[in-house]
Amino acid sequence: MGDVDVGHPGIVRKAPRDERSRVLDFRTMEITLRAPGTPIDALTLDAGLHAIGRAPEGGLRRVDGSGGDARVWIRVDRCGTWLAVVDGVRGVHVNGRPVRRCALLRAGDSVHVDGSELVLTAPVVP
């Protein structure tokens, strides 16, 4: 028997058990940060907190753990990949939309920080 979707008049069937078992696990998904021409090109984002700041020669780079020079923070945890903007920083956009505090990121998102583009990529799941 299917479940009734309250918002729509039709019947919605549940996915078979074998389809539900193929849920992606963040610990096995490899998220890569692409920023051609910068020191952080092809940076694999492991679970944890990553600080991104300005490089002395221009562009962006990964900064130390204290994050004094950080413009944005990227956090990867079991809830997903999050972008947090440091207080007072302006000009951060995700997919063309301005971000003032934080945003949930997904593979394929384009993040612009200080005029530099970062793209999140993940392997293609068959």
Side-chain angles (χ1 to χ4, degrees), residues 9 35 68 87 90 107 111 115:
D87 289 337
R90 299 283 180 249
V111 180

Side-chain angles (χ1 to χ4, degrees), residues 1-15:
M1 173 131 197
D3 287 346
V4 176
D5 184 359
V6 178
H8 303 290
I11 301 292
V12 177
R13 75 172 180 88
K14 287 186 176 182

Side-chain angles (χ1 to χ4, degrees), residues 52-89:
I52 307 294
R54 288 186 186 158
E57 64 277 356
L60 299 173
R61 67 181 174 96
R62 190 171 182 181
V63 295
D64 64 348
S66 66
D69 298 331
R71 307 291 288 164
V72 296
W73 292 85
I74 297 176
R75 179 183 197 93
V76 180
D77 60 16
R78 65 186 180 102
C79 295
T81 304
W82 293 87
L83 173 78
V85 180
V86 175
D87 289 337
V89 174

Side-chain angles (χ1 to χ4, degrees), residues 15-35:
R17 184 162 296 282
D18 62 330
E19 286 181 24
R20 282 185 263 160
S21 65
R22 284 189 248 150
V23 175
L24 294 177
D25 186 3
F26 85 98
R27 292 165 290 194
T28 61
M29 180 181 280
E30 189 174 287
I31 299 170
T32 306
L33 198 60
R34 299 280 180 189

Side-chain angles (χ1 to χ4, degrees), residues 29-54:
M29 180 181 280
E30 189 174 287
I31 299 170
T32 306
L33 198 60
R34 299 280 180 189
T38 66
I40 57 174
D41 188 31
L43 173 67
T44 301
L45 297 176
D46 299 325
L49 201 56
H50 308 275
I52 307 294
R54 288 186 186 158

